[in-house]
Amino acid sequence: LALLAPRRFGADDNKDDEEVKRPCPMLVPIVAEIDPEYKEADRVDALKKYKVTTRVENYIACELSKGKYKALKPFKMNVQITDFRVRSGASTFWVGGMAGADQLGLRIAVQPDGESEYAFRKTTSFVGSGFEVGPPQRINKMAKALAGQIAKQMAKEGFIKR
């Protein structure tokens, strides 16, 4: 079966861990956490297992610090994971899109120094299937997509600029 799969086994198996450890300078302080109201135990376990909060923090930090943005005023960012679903590798391979979509939903609160909090929500999903994309890689795709959406929203609201 491994011979039929397009995924390369071996060195690339640890690539998802590189995404968790990737150092990016933070343009602003970013803290990601699981929404305290989120009670689905199996999904909370998966959030912890795949280090989703760290992945989200890293992708947002990297998106904002690529050199194309600068902060127009000091602020901090708190990100809460409000919705999460990740399918197992087996279900994406055998059932594909019929198993539903992976989802990642965030509530982002931006707190400028001495000003009122500005909050917004962003959600994305991923329906890919096959052996080549495991849960960590799908989570990375969703976190990266959300980081881009967050940067655009923050630029639109005047917190950062290109």
Side-chain angles (χ1 to χ4, degrees):
L1 184 61
L3 296 174
L4 302 174
R7 180 168 188 243
R8 295 184 317 268
F9 292 92
D12 289 344
D13 287 349
N14 294 322
K15 186 172 193 280
D16 62 291
D17 287 336
E18 293 169 19
E19 298 294 329
V20 173
K21 296 175 188 171
R22 177 179 37 195
C24 277
M26 286 196 177
L27 180 67
V28 297
I30 301 168
V31 175
E33 62 186 5
I34 301 168
D35 183 348
E37 301 294 315
Y38 199 70
K39 302 293 185 205
E40 297 183 48
D42 60 329
R43 293 184 183 184
V44 170
D45 290 346
L47 283 163
K48 291 175 182 175
K49 175 182 176 182
Y50 294 116
K51 303 174 183 136
V52 179
T53 55
T54 303
R55 291 174 196 275
V56 167
E57 282 178 5
N58 288 349
Y59 274 104
I60 295 170
C62 289
E63 180 67 28
L64 296 179
S65 68
K66 281 185 191 173
K68 55 182 187 177
Y69 294 106
K70 68 177 188 175
L72 297 176
K73 53 187 155 186
F75 64 89
K76 61 184 176 182
M77 183 186 300
N78 185 37
V79 179
Q80 285 188 335
I81 297 172
T82 58
D83 187 27
F84 179 72
R85 178 177 189 254
V86 66
R87 300 163 295 156
S88 71
S91 68
T92 57
F93 178 73
W94 293 109
V95 186
M98 292 187 303
D102 299 316
Q103 280 187 272
L104 182 57
L106 306 177
R107 179 189 180 274
I108 302 92
V110 179
Q111 181 69 54
D113 289 351
E115 295 181 31
S116 299
E117 176 183 276
Y118 170 73
F120 59 99
R121 293 180 182 271
K122 293 289 179 187
T123 303
T124 193
S125 60
F126 182 78
V127 186
S129 61
F131 248 168
E132 75 278 358
V133 184
Q137 292 82 16
R138 296 192 313 268
I139 293 166
N140 290 343
K141 286 177 186 282
M142 292 188 296
K144 185 175 184 176
L146 286 171
Q149 292 177 23
I150 290 166
K152 287 178 186 173
Q153 181 76 28
M154 292 182 62
K156 177 181 167 187
E157 297 299 328
F159 292 106
I160 58 176
K161 78 173 197 173
R162 288 180 180 244

